Amino acid sequence: MVGEHVRGTGCDNNHPSCKGITLPYQSGRVQEGASGVESLSVGSKEVTWHVGVSHWKWRIPVGAKFQTGHSPFEAWMKPGVWGVCLASDCGSVGLQSRSVWCLHSDGWRTHQSSCLLSDRPVHQRMCVKVCEWQKDLFEWHSSPWGPCIPSPLLPVKPCVTAQRGIQSRDVACVRRTNSSTVSPRVCEIFASAPEREQACLLPCPIDCVLSAFNHWSTCSRTCGSALQQRTRHVLAPPLYGGADCPSLSQTRACNHDNVHPRLCPSDQQEYSYSLWAGTWSSCRVKEMLNGKPLVDFRFDGKKTHTSLFTIKHPHEKRHHHTNDDRGHKASWEIIIGYQTRQLRCIRSDGKDALLSFCDHDDSPVSFRSCVMPRDCEVSDWSEWSACSKTCRSSDPSPGFRRRSRNLIRTPIGGGEPCPALQEMENCNLLEDMLPLCPRYEWRVANWSPCQVTLLLSHQDHRYSNTSDLCGGGLRTREAYCVKIHDSPVPSETDRPVGKNLCSGPLPPLAETCFIPCQRHCPLTPWSPWGPCLYGNCLEPEGRKGFRIRSRSVILESWVESESCPHVSEAMICDDPICFIWKVTSHGPCVPLNGSCGPGTQEQSLECVSASGEPVVSDQCPGDPGSLWQPCERPCPEDCVLGDWTSWTLCSHSCSSKHQEGKQSRSRLVLAFPGKYGKPCPPDSELEEWRPCSTQSCTIFYWDTSPWGPCIPKIITDEVDGSSTGAMKESSSCGTGVQMRHVTCRRAGNGHVLLKRCPESSRPDSVKSCLLPCKTDCIVTPFSEWSICPIYCLTGNATVLTQSRHRIIIQRAANGGQECPDTLREERECETPPLCPTYRWQTHRWHQCILAPDWVRQAVGKASEVCGTGLETREVTCVSVDDSPAEMVDCVRWAGLMPVSVRECHVPCRDECSFTSWSKFTPCQGCGNWRSRTRSLIGRSKKRWRCQQEEMFPLLEQELCPCSEFHSRPVGAWSACLFPSAESVGGQAFMQGVWRQNQGALQAWHLQRRNRECGHGKRYRALACLDHLERLVDPTLCRSPGYEQESCHVLCSADCKLSKWSDWSACSASCGGGVKVRSQWLREKPFNGGQPCPKLNSRNQVSEVLPCYSECTQYVWEVKAWSMCTINSSNNINSTPLIHAICGEGFRTAKIRCLKMGGENQGVFVDDSLCDLEQRPIITESCLLACPSHCVTSEWSPWTKCSVDCSAGDLSWRSRTVLRRPEEGQTCPDLNQTRACSNLTCLKYSFRYSDWSSCQLSTSAVCGRGIKTRLLNCVRSDGKQVELSMCRELGPSRGKLSAPCEVGCPVHCLVSEWSSWSECSHTCGSLSQRTRSRLVLRAAGEGGRPCPSHLSQTLPCSIRPCYDWRLGNWSPCRVKGADCGEGVSRREVSCVVHWGSLSGPPDPLPVEDEMCEGHPANKVSEMEIEQVCTIPCPGECHLTQWSPWSSCQLICIEGRSFETWGRQARSRAVVTQVQESQESCPSQLYETRECQGGTCLRYEWRTGEWRLNRRSVWCQRSDGVNVTGGCLAQKQPSVVRQCHPPCSKPFSFCTQVMSAHGFLDYCTRTPGLGHKKADVKSIAGRIRPDYALNKSQIQAWTLQPLGPDGRVQLWVYGLMAAGFISILLLILMSFLLCKNPEGRDRSGRSPQKPLALAYDGDLDM
């Protein structure tokens, strides 16, 4: 149940405590009661409860218990919800039940004995069981929850952060069909009623906050009884039940002194009198009573406004509808009536007096002419527009619809203002009944082809040739908005709509892409020339063969296939051999007769290929021959020869006329013959030569053309001897074939016959490929036609068109259907009607109309007709041909209606009379003055008052009109602007929507770069001024309103680097090393160019790559050893001959560094290229056997040790006996072994080098590349060796190359400049046009930065601004009276300014016609007169409204939970005399919402203690002292008092510092008190002599402590003087005791040294 609110004294309607509240009783009712009563009357069933300043009463059931503590009610009966109606059939009578509980006041259930059973509600009732279909006819309708208001019946507890409140709402049972209200019992049958009340939380009560009082005013009178006032204003209103604002004013009687005596002088009147004028009545016309005119002086309380008081703009007034005829001219006629007002004479004590006591200079006027009010007239409402919301969306706000009506007649004379001409209401509130709204999404077209040009600098040398560019690039696409339907139709799905309908973010319109590069194939060096082989060793033919060398492509499986150079070369040779018999070993030579001489030896043969690999013996041609070969074992004393060395490398790889290949071999003499032995052959037979590489030096290789396009497999064919296999029929996509030409080419000499090249290495000429599918062009359907304007057109309007467009989604490719040529269509709109042309036509002014004579006679005025009146003129509406038209048409089309009524004046006889003004004198030149005169006529010539020219001037001057104008530049120059192309490739490219065909983006890029720099123009505004420096129209200066000049902007320059230098040589001759190349800085970036990469200290960019040098590329070649030279000192025999031919000696050899691989192999190079650590020895010892000694062969090489060098491993070598010794001689050991552990055991391992930098193609800027690394074989001592040394470890599994990517320089990409906007202002110097562009993609990865200016401005013509400027309000003046209701005026003048009335430059006045020609400048009702009130002396009145307080938010712990704050202002009551206090009005305050508020805190502030008192005030956090806002319970004490009080002698109350802050403490008063006085002893007594002489002692004694217990200043001075005296005393003592310089020291008695002996005491 909602209680009824009864307003009491001081209760504001807007105050929360004056709202209704909810009680838990259905029988309660509010009644008026006495203020402040808190009582209970059970017998009368009535309770009165007073809350705040309002009175509340409820009727409660008898038996309810009530307490005035924290719990007003102990227990009551609460019924539950009615249950379901139980009946047999639908529509029959049944029974309905509900539960009833006894509730305690705290909310918990208690036993029913705690409640009176007589008050128990019924728990059963009769009902009718409803049918299911009836439930759909009715429903509960709940209004929104009302505001949360404090609950006055809750227990009074301190509020911490929030308080509990109550919200209520209206609940009604309504029909679903028409929402009409029915009885709640109907809906209760179907469902229980929703809750009507609910608890809510409110912030704690906020009391009213006031400012500090201002200073006291002057006395209301200069003598006698008078009053002074001071006021304050409201800073924050009370909220949420806070304390109301106290009085805003204080009054006190003036103190009587010489300035203000108690009694007034005898010659001064006791009272003063003032003439009071009331409010003007409403305008009336003549009324008759008993045949006589009746003058009504009554004030009807209606505030009147006439055309004399306001200048109003018709299109901003509100209108009121009447039933008059629209076209009737009488409705536009102006009727002149009269107004009256009351005049009273008021005494200074507020009482009325006779009018004769009030003398006034001007004769009081109680009547005047006026315009009879004419109400506004409007047309009927138009039909409602369509609802703005026709579908269901995520926006929960309802839709709206509008209707409008037209203005027919404007009000005049303070008639009823016009109502709103437009009305809007919500519609489609039941959103669930609406269909789902269509969704709009962004769609994108296919990406355009990838282009690298946009990533290049325009100084790049590759910019001119773009066909070979590859790598990273940029591709773009177009975005468009489409409507998503629930059941999409294919033709409608992708129809473009306005892009503003898509609210989501724009999809990416540009991204990086990659064009595969035709990379240079990394190749291995050429292998050595192979042996002479048949073209096909399996089917050898003829006697010609080929010597072949090859190289391979260093690529891995992930690398794309590409066209590489040939990898095989051949030379034609004679007598080719593919397989030969090779001798693998020889057995010992077995002499045929005896132990020496000729014999035979067995040899082992095997069939090997040309490369030395063993093959099946069937492959070798012919018979291998005999296994026994003849041999000869030297006999003693025979010459012994060594084995033939291997054949040396051929000196040339081929032969020609100028060179021939040769190779040699040699053998050594191991032992010279004896006297009778077989002699050695001559030296010429110890070396053999033979020709080699006799084939011609002509090189042939297979040459291939690039692969052709992928074509369908149509027929079976053989191309160059290769079959394509089974082909299938033509199809649009699938598997196809690619072909290329394969020819045999002679190196450097064109094509030759195919048989010149080996068939085994012939490349393929046909390969399979994926056939690209045909791609047709796909375009969207045409968009809807753009909307044609429905408004009327002016006479000079251009022809309007509408357009539609479509967008290319996918372009044609691979022979698909091409795109249509027409992507945009236009057509002319149907020509709308021309706007009608009407204008106002004014006629001459009529005679001045004064108040009627019968009104003058009624107020006792003289019969003279003079004074102020009104004059009218007729205003009509005419069409373009000056024919009469309806006034309504001009109201609608002609705008401001000219003034038809104005004030006039008819001079009286006693007024000054003048002749008419003469014509202005002719002007003598521009800038001079012209004048006109008038003169007094009649009796005015003799009147002194009329002769005062200050009041009545007889001469007027004004400046002569001038037509001289000059221009002056205003403002700064604009940015340098360049001509912008309207389109690129026929398609617009602007404002974030990309429209370009293939190649258009590149063209746009080129044009944009050209439009960013170079020669352009800049502009500056010109102001046209007249001779008075007033702004005028620029056409008067014959200028376009701006000036221009050429300008130049330097183009941006990217960072320039030199070309890459050549790669340096590999840093290692064996194994892995590095090679380096560099670029040098040539030019730094300038003016926003692309920045440089990171440079080193030498301004270089270096690139390092790993490189590998074959360890066997450069080898030491050991030429044959020389003959052993015998040492003479080691001669075995003494015979001279024997001495020369046998014994120990030495031999030498020649070594050279030979290049084995790559180009120019077999060439001797510098020794530094070979490994110096492996340099062979060139001198060694040797033994030349004597004729009788044993001769052995050379030692074989040592066998290799195992890799791990395990214990017990041996390495061995051997030699064979070539000649047996004579009897008595033995042969040396033929085998030698050595332990491997005694050798240096070296281990080998694989090691990878670091990855190189990412290598790109020379035609690429960025994108995917290759990084490489090397695999090295490293010995355990850290030296790199041949990879073959690590082969025992198995193959390496690591990749030697990997894909990598170099980030593309992301250049900033901006859209095209938008179109120039309209001028921002219609006048003034601030008007400018702007255009802007968007950053489509920000710069990154070292790309070219974005331009600094994304918007540009262009000055508009400076046109003059004309405005009505209002002056300051004049003081309130009551015409013809001293006080009462008057008028405050302010002047309005037409000024010209530069766009701001506040300047600069300052506005200058111009003729009013200039402002009348610009009615749009009157943007609001400009009041030039306003009603005001001047209080009469002694009258109690209100002050003017105080300024609005600062915007304040409601905050909790410094945080606000609202966006709107509150401001307040107030009017205080001013009482001038005591007698008028009873008639004083109530003080007022009002609040309003505001934005930009702040949280403010309130804290108590205290002053210094003075005589146990201090000032305490409340201060806001912004430093303003206030009243209210601070918590009263936390207010510091004003008077310092000890508890208990200080009653002991010689004591006073002070403060001491403790752990808990300052505490009041009773301490002893310093002075001459009794020494035994103890303030803490209750036995202390005050001595009589001290009590008697206390005042005398205090009069002359020095008190070290003041009354407040602080040490006085003179004590500190005395202490300082004593300290200085002590220092002086010490200094004097030191000077006296110091020995003089010349004193004889010989007479001094010798002093013995002091000896300290330690006696074992621990204290020492």
Side-chain angles (χ1 to χ4, degrees), residues 180-195:
S180 60
T181 305
V182 297
S183 174
R185 289 288 302 274
V186 177
C187 291
E188 289 177 355
I189 298 175
F190 310 119
S192 57
E195 292 292 337

Side-chain angles (χ1 to χ4, degrees), residues 41 61 129 132 225 233 270 569 615 981 1042 1138 1157 1159 1246 1291 1519-1520:
S41 178
K129 185 176 181 180
E132 290 295 331
S225 60
H233 56 273
E270 183 178 0
E569 290 181 348
V615 296
Y1042 59 87
I1138 296 177
E1159 299 290 338
F1246 285 118
V1520 177

Side-chain angles (χ1 to χ4, degrees), residues 493-545:
T493 301
D494 293 334
R495 183 185 297 274
V497 297
K499 61 183 179 181
N500 57 332
L501 296 176
C502 286
S503 57
L506 192 68
L509 301 180
E511 70 173 7
T512 56
C513 53
F514 182 77
I515 300 177
C517 294
Q518 296 295 330
R519 290 185 298 271
H520 173 69
C521 292
L523 301 173
T524 61
W526 286 108
S527 66
W529 286 100
C532 187
L533 302 174
Y534 286 102
N536 186 1
C537 288
L538 298 179
E539 298 178 358
E541 293 181 359
R543 299 183 57 84
K544 294 290 185 181

Side-chain angles (χ1 to χ4, degrees), residues 1236-1265:
C1236 288
S1237 59
N1238 294 333
L1239 303 175
T1240 302
C1241 289
L1242 298 175
K1243 296 184 179 181
Y1244 303 90
S1245 60
F1246 285 118
R1247 183 180 299 172
Y1248 290 99
S1249 66
D1250 295 332
W1251 287 107
S1252 69
S1253 57
C1254 196
Q1255 299 298 302
L1256 300 175
S1257 170
T1258 56
S1259 299
V1261 179
C1262 57
R1264 294 194 290 270

Side-chain angles (χ1 to χ4, degrees), residues 123 217 230 260 587 677 740 939 1095 1097 1200 1229 1264 1277 1584:
H123 67 283
S217 65
R230 64 174 182 176
H260 185 82
R740 64 177 176 179
R939 298 179 180 178
L1095 304 175
S1097 59
K1200 293 183 178 181
D1229 294 335
R1264 294 194 290 270
D1277 59 354

Side-chain angles (χ1 to χ4, degrees), residues 47-48 88 91 141 270 393 425 439 558 702 801 846 878 915 938 966 991 994 1081 1149 1199 1225 1282 1339 1448 1477 1520 1571:
V47 173
T48 301
S88 59
H141 176 73
E270 183 178 0
S393 64
E425 70 174 7
R439 294 180 295 110
W558 55 267
W702 291 108
T801 60
H846 297 290
V878 295
T915 61
H966 63 279
Q991 297 183 356
W994 298 40
L1081 176 64
T1199 59
Q1225 298 292 333
E1282 297 180 15
Q1448 184 175 353
Q1477 288 186 351
V1520 177
K1571 295 180 180 180

